Amino acid sequence: MDQSGLSKPNLSAYLSSQIQNLIRSNDLKPGDRLPSARALAEQFNVATPTIREALRRLQATGLIDIRHGSGIYVRRQSDRLLLSNPGVGALETQTILQVLDARTLIEPHLAGLAAQFATPSEIEALQDLVRQADIAVERTDDSYIRVNYELHAAIARASGNLVLTHIIESLLEMYSTELHLTDPRTGFAVTRARDHFHHHIVVDAIAARDPASATGAMTEHINVARQTVVAQVSAGAPSGKGADTNGTASPL
Amino acid sequence: MDQSGLSKPNLSAYLSSQIQNLIRSNDLKPGDRLPSARALAEQFNVATPTIREALRRLQATGLIDIRHGSGIYVRRQSDRLLLSNPGVGALETQTILQVLDARTLIEPHLAGLAAQFATPSEIEALQDLVRQADIAVERTDDSYIRVNYELHAAIARASGNLVLTHIIESLLEMYSTELHLTDPRTGFAVTRARDHFHHHIVVDAIAARDPASATGAMTEHINVARQTVVAQVSAGAPSGKGADTNGTASPL
DNA sequence: GGAGTGTAAGTGATCTAATCAATTATTGTC
DNA sequence: GACAATAATTGATTAGATCACTTACACTCC
């Protein structure tokens, strides 16, 4: 039943890479559907529980999306070098602050690089995202959160450093959950408008090929966001699953 | 057969977190063995293929280690917020350089923080690691690579920023594979001695509570390592799986 | 007694084949 | 034409059995 000469310990690992190849060679894009689990099992001459393990692995790395009753879909175009751990739940406030510290270190640097190395089409894409944000900032659904993610990710991408880009993408998606929890159309509208204003400045600086301004604006942007979180915390609202209030202010 | 009132779509995801709880509540440490897959299946009242999907997920996130014929072992004490994608194979040289660019941005910063905030016991641990490296640097096995990882990780940890620490750990383990491939006891001995020398300086600066020196020494350390890779590349040795030589020198 | 070998128990890996559950498209009715 | 019932598709889970790898123990032979 196994006609290949190669020994294959860990069939599921082997199958994972085969499915990755399948996605690549068929040029499947995010949203596209893969063959059904049964079809895949037949195609690779394995039983369904086995192909299932391989699919779970790919699901854990964020490459695919499995929807009961519907099918298996491609989630990301290309592989990430780094991922946010899908196993971690809600972040403690202390951790959120450290995420922002990390972003304060990385994103201004990326903004500066983007101002130097972004291609014209990348700059155009950035300006388009700002225009999208002009609209989304007024809406009450979560479209702004999505645009916000796209904007930061696009700036990172325009820097030319893939690794740092993946780091930022992972950090952003890490606490995207938190953002949903925080924002029930409260006084956050003002925060949102302020963020949007900062985005404008950063993108303008990049478009003007002014690294120093881009770096500075991004630093300002994230620092202000961090201060907002600090203010929320000291205002008493205990986020995270609590119980861990051993201070030691996050150093930066 | 299911006595809980809660609906559980995605049993495997639920089981993953249950197994995580099991590890936490039993205080299992790296190297400790979990119950067998059969035992776990019985304990949670599910079939073995189901528990298997949950285990694959935990394996993908690096929390556990599954060894055929032997058992299931804890791999990491605590969860990482970020992981290196287990699905990516060998890195292209271009990517390796970008990893080093990322490290050049992050690790000097962490070294500076460590010089400010490291606890006495953390500094002691760093000095102990340097002593271990004194020995490992002479040996031909891969013990030096392990010590090197531990040293960089320990410096990161001493900074107090968990997120940046996890980023560095992920970056280090990402191309640990590459290091094995590069080093067949060739002229790398000199590289190794030089790295070890730099480590000495960095740790001394941290112990001396001198952030500026620590930052500078770490910058120097990684930059030199980066230049070594660049030299290797221009010397002709094509690493990675090739075919992707569209230059655009990695910006930093 | 010690070194090596062989065997058996434990454990992960995979298979088969069936049933349950959720989604989606279709069809039919009003 | 809108809505509801239904059928087909597809993922989720089960059950028990068999294969393959590791490990430890006992046994043999020197």
Side-chain angles (χ1 to χ4, degrees), chain A residues 105-106 109 164 252, chain B residues 99-117 152 155-156 158-159 164 168 171 202 205-206 210-224 252:
Chain A
L105 176 65
I106 299 170
H109 182 248
L164 288 171
L252 180 76
Chain B
V99 170
L100 285 166
D101 287 342
R103 290 181 57 190
T104 305
L105 176 65
I106 298 170
E107 292 202 71
H109 182 248
L110 292 177
L113 290 175
Q116 295 175 65
F117 300 108
H152 280 270
I155 292 171
S159 77
L164 287 171
I168 289 304
L171 293 182
V202 172
I206 292 172
D210 183 344
S213 297
T215 301
M218 184 65 94
T219 302
E220 168 82 2
H221 171 44
I222 302 181
N223 274 341
V224 168
L252 180 76

Side-chain angles (χ1 to χ4, degrees), chain A residues 84-100 103 142 145 148-149 170-186 188 191-192 225 228-229 232-233 237-242, chain B residues 81 163:
Chain A
S84 62
N85 188 341
V88 288
L91 303 181
E92 298 172 15
T93 45
Q94 181 67 13
T95 306
I96 294 178
L97 289 176
Q98 293 193 348
V99 170
L100 285 166
R103 291 181 57 190
D142 59 355
I145 295 178
N148 178 69
Y149 173 92
S170 299
L171 292 182
L172 289 172
E173 78 183 27
M174 185 183 302
Y175 66 162
S176 62
T177 323
E178 303 298 316
L179 291 176
H180 281 89
L181 295 177
T182 328
D183 174 32
R185 73 203 154 280
T186 77
F188 237 46
T191 300
R192 189 180 275 198
T228 303
V229 174
Q232 277 188 325
V233 174
S239 124
K241 50 185 72 175
Chain B
L81 282 80
V163 175

Side-chain angles (χ1 to χ4, degrees), chain A residues 37-52:
Chain A
R38 286 179 178 84
L40 287 171
E42 191 182 353
Q43 178 173 348
F44 292 114
N45 275 302
V46 296
T48 46
T50 309
I51 202 83
R52 200 142 240 288

Side-chain angles (χ1 to χ4, degrees), chain B residues 135-189:
Chain B
I135 301 166
V137 75
E138 303 287 354
R139 299 180 59 175
T140 56
D141 61 13
D142 59 355
S143 62
Y144 183 73
I145 294 178
R146 204 168 13 246
V147 174
N148 178 70
Y149 173 92
E150 289 299 335
L151 187 56
H152 280 270
I155 292 171
R157 229 174 293 128
S159 77
N161 189 307
L162 192 67
V163 175
L164 287 171
T165 299
H166 289 178
I167 290 174
I168 289 304
E169 287 177 347
S170 300
L171 293 182
L172 288 171
E173 78 184 27
M174 185 184 303
Y175 66 163
S176 62
T177 323
E178 303 299 315
L179 291 176
H180 281 90
L181 295 176
T182 328
D183 174 32
R185 72 202 154 281
T186 77
F188 237 46

